Amino acid sequence: DAEITQSPRHKITETGRQVTLACHQTWNHNNMFWYRQDLGHGLRLIHYSYGVHDTNKGEVSDGYSVSRSNTEDLPLTLESAASSQTSVYFCASSETGNSPLHFGNGTRLTVT
Amino acid sequence: ELKVEQNPLFLSMQEGKNYTIYCNYSTTSDRLYWYRQDPGKSLESLFVLLSNGAVKQEGRLMASLDTKARLSTLHITAAVHDLSATYFCAVNNAGNMLTFGGGTRLMVKP
């Protein structure tokens, strides 16, 4: 079955370190998204991509970057981790059009 | 800027009762989605509403969309404990981006 996999599931890092969260999907979807989930804020869009070599900033993109070198992967990099980036991060993908998002299981990131 | 508001934020209800969750959004959109999230888990798609007047039903849940009022409702009929979860609505923004509401945490008590 097709799926979307995030790794690691849990990560603890120190302030100032660079961190990369992985997202891999086997749906062959062109659209991929990164969201962060925080209490009181729901899910907020960080970055998104509509295809290989395409990346776009979302609502809360400062301090984050993504790259899309193939259809399957959209890694999320925190250039210099800050305590404000402690959150649960969800990757999602969708077909073009009206289809809903398929979400990964999330990565819980703690920045100390 | 598209804003999506859900209410209530928290709902505690008895099994067997009916209730409605509301999702209001601030700008015109042609698509609205409902998702369910169990504690510590990912989000699962429940409904996709694509036009004014659209109504979708699955078991004890029914979702509707009124694009003129910029309002969607998620109605729960005869609630059971298994429906306890957090429910999110999400509205299509430019392109294929979704803006999510803050979520409604539903607790169904025996």
Side-chain angles (χ1 to χ4, degrees), chain A residues 37 48 50 97-98 101 104, chain B residues 31 33 35 37 42 96-98:
Chain A
Q37 183 176 30
Y48 60 101
Y50 289 150
N98 301 325
L101 299 178
Chain B
R31 282 173 264 166
Y33 303 78
Y35 290 87
Q37 184 180 34
S42 187
N96 291 316
M97 292 188 293
L98 295 185

Side-chain angles (χ1 to χ4, degrees), chain A residues 9 31 33 35 37 41-43 45 48 50 57-59 90 94-101 103-105, chain B residues 1 30-31 33 35 37 40-45 47-48 50 88 94-103:
Chain A
R9 290 299 310 276
N31 302 335
F33 307 84
Y35 287 88
Q37 183 176 30
H41 290 280
L43 280 85
L45 183 63
Y48 60 101
Y50 289 150
K57 294 181 179 180
E59 177 188 359
F90 285 100
S94 71
E95 292 182 283
T96 57
N98 301 325
S99 56
L101 299 178
F103 282 87
N105 286 328
Chain B
E1 179 188 349
D30 58 357
R31 282 173 264 166
Y33 303 78
Y35 290 87
Q37 184 180 34
K41 303 292 186 182
S42 187
L43 284 82
E44 172 192 354
S45 176
F47 300 110
V48 180
L50 299 176
F88 291 93
N96 291 316
M97 292 188 293
L98 295 185
T99 298
F100 283 78

Side-chain angles (χ1 to χ4, degrees), chain B residues 12-77:
Chain B
S12 178
M13 57 192 297
Q14 296 292 126
E15 279 192 329
K17 298 291 187 182
N18 303 332
Y19 208 83
T20 300
I21 299 171
Y22 297 88
C23 174
N24 294 271
Y25 54 98
S26 60
T27 63
T28 301
S29 176
D30 58 357
R31 282 173 264 166
L32 190 139
Y33 303 78
W34 283 97
Y35 290 87
R36 168 183 172 144
Q37 184 180 34
D38 292 303
K41 303 292 186 182
S42 187
L43 284 82
E44 172 192 354
S45 176
L46 293 174
F47 300 110
V48 180
L49 302 169
L50 299 176
S51 61
N52 187 42
V55 177
K56 295 280 185 72
Q57 183 163 6
E58 179 75 30
R60 300 174 187 274
L61 299 177
M62 183 174 71
S64 65
L65 177 62
D66 182 343
T67 58
K68 293 180 181 177
R70 299 175 186 164
L71 171 69
S72 179
T73 60
L74 181 65
H75 187 71
I76 304 154
T77 301

